[in-house]
Amino acid sequence: MARAIWTGAISFGLVTIPVKLYAAVQSKSVKFNQLDGQDHQRIQMKRVNAATGEEVPYARIVKGYELAKDRYVIIEPGELESLDPKKTKTIDIDAFVDLAEIDPIHYDHAYYLAPAPGGAKPYRLLVDTMAETGKVAIATVVIRSKEQLVALRAAGDVMAMTTMVFPDEVVDPKTLDEIPNADEIQSSDRELAMARQLVESLADPFEPGRYRDTYREQILAMIERKANGEVVSVEAPVEGEEAPAPDLMAALKASLDAARAGDDADAPAKKAPAKRKAPAAPKAAKTPATK
């Protein structure tokens, strides 16, 4: 059973909806401990003075902001606490916007909001209204002494809340040196037409279940084999020479031909079962088509 990590209320206008916050994503990355290669004992990380090599007790550690090399401004805990935003326990909605207006680059961590006691009716009303209008609520909330910019949206029968980065945290793509100048490099109509055909040939509804973390699965499988006493052989990867960049039109045509060939190969497999009949079976007992 999931446990709430925060409780508070959604506030907009004169409406207040008590809610509980739950994590919407669970990391499944394989984590390793650092061990001594000789006796496989855990490695301890110690706080050490870089100049003296002396281990420093936690109570003696202070926060410092580096202005220049070896020059710091020391900030005391009380000074930071005086700047903490007021903990209102309220998700204050500032505006409702269209989902398409939000660039996904602004999204950070995902959560679910569930109604707290007494909030079921207004919670349901807000979820239904946001789903019907296609609007997303932009709000602010203080979580763990940090003010967060968040987006609230309807996700089926549940309200999802995603923390967002502030605008000044997004890197301006104009600062990237490698981006080609659109005035200097332009796509021809023929290139655009072929690229569009390739995109359309690969178009498909998004099905999250189709995708798996195969690297994690391989790591876990290897761990299980080694835990069972199996010796795992390691082959060094072969580094080949970097191939020259192919001709763009030739690459587009080859990709499009491969995509079409894949579609043609799948078509008979999908149609074949519908044509077969079970031996000595009545007409109604045809094998259904594979979906």
Side-chain angles (χ1 to χ4, degrees), residues 223-235:
I223 291 173
E224 184 176 1
R225 287 161 54 199
K226 295 196 70 173
N228 292 330
E230 183 178 340
V231 177
V232 177
S233 59
V234 178
E235 296 181 4

Side-chain angles (χ1 to χ4, degrees), residues 40-175:
H40 295 176
Q41 294 300 309
R42 290 280 297 271
I43 301 297
Q44 292 184 348
M45 299 300 176
K46 296 183 178 181
R47 300 174 177 88
V48 177
N49 186 308
T52 66
E54 173 194 3
E55 184 175 357
V56 181
Y58 183 78
R60 217 171 76 196
I61 295 176
V62 297
K63 294 181 182 292
Y65 181 85
E66 188 174 21
L67 293 176
K69 183 173 175 58
D70 296 331
R71 184 186 172 200
Y72 300 91
V73 172
I74 305 302
I75 304 296
E76 301 296 338
E79 294 171 331
L80 282 179
E81 291 171 4
S82 68
L83 301 177
D84 279 350
K86 186 179 179 181
K87 298 181 181 179
T88 61
K89 287 285 186 178
T90 304
I91 302 171
D92 294 309
I93 294 178
D94 176 68
F96 289 91
V97 304
D98 291 333
L99 178 60
E101 294 180 9
I102 306 175
D103 190 319
I105 200 169
H106 290 277
Y107 291 134
D108 194 8
H109 289 85
Y111 300 89
Y112 289 131
L113 287 170
K121 178 65 176 180
Y123 175 92
R124 179 79 268 148
L125 178 61
L126 182 57
V127 171
D128 291 343
T129 303
M130 294 174 71
E132 182 179 333
T133 60
K135 296 294 186 181
V136 176
I138 304 299
T140 54
V141 59
V142 176
I143 301 177
R144 298 191 182 99
S145 299
K146 184 180 186 300
E147 186 176 59
Q148 301 275 2
L149 182 67
V150 298
L152 309 181
R153 62 181 178 85
D157 293 331
V158 181
M159 185 177 298
M161 185 184 90
T162 306
T163 57
M164 306 174 70
V165 297
F166 287 96
D168 60 351
E169 296 178 294
V170 178
V171 176
D172 187 346
K174 294 179 181 178
T175 62

Side-chain angles (χ1 to χ4, degrees), residues 183-204:
D183 295 330
E184 298 175 358
I185 301 178
Q186 294 184 347
S187 302
S188 68
D189 292 342
R190 186 162 176 252
E191 290 169 340
L192 283 170
M194 292 195 68
R196 190 183 304 114
Q197 291 180 55
L198 178 58
V199 169
E200 291 172 351
S201 70
L202 297 174
D204 226 352

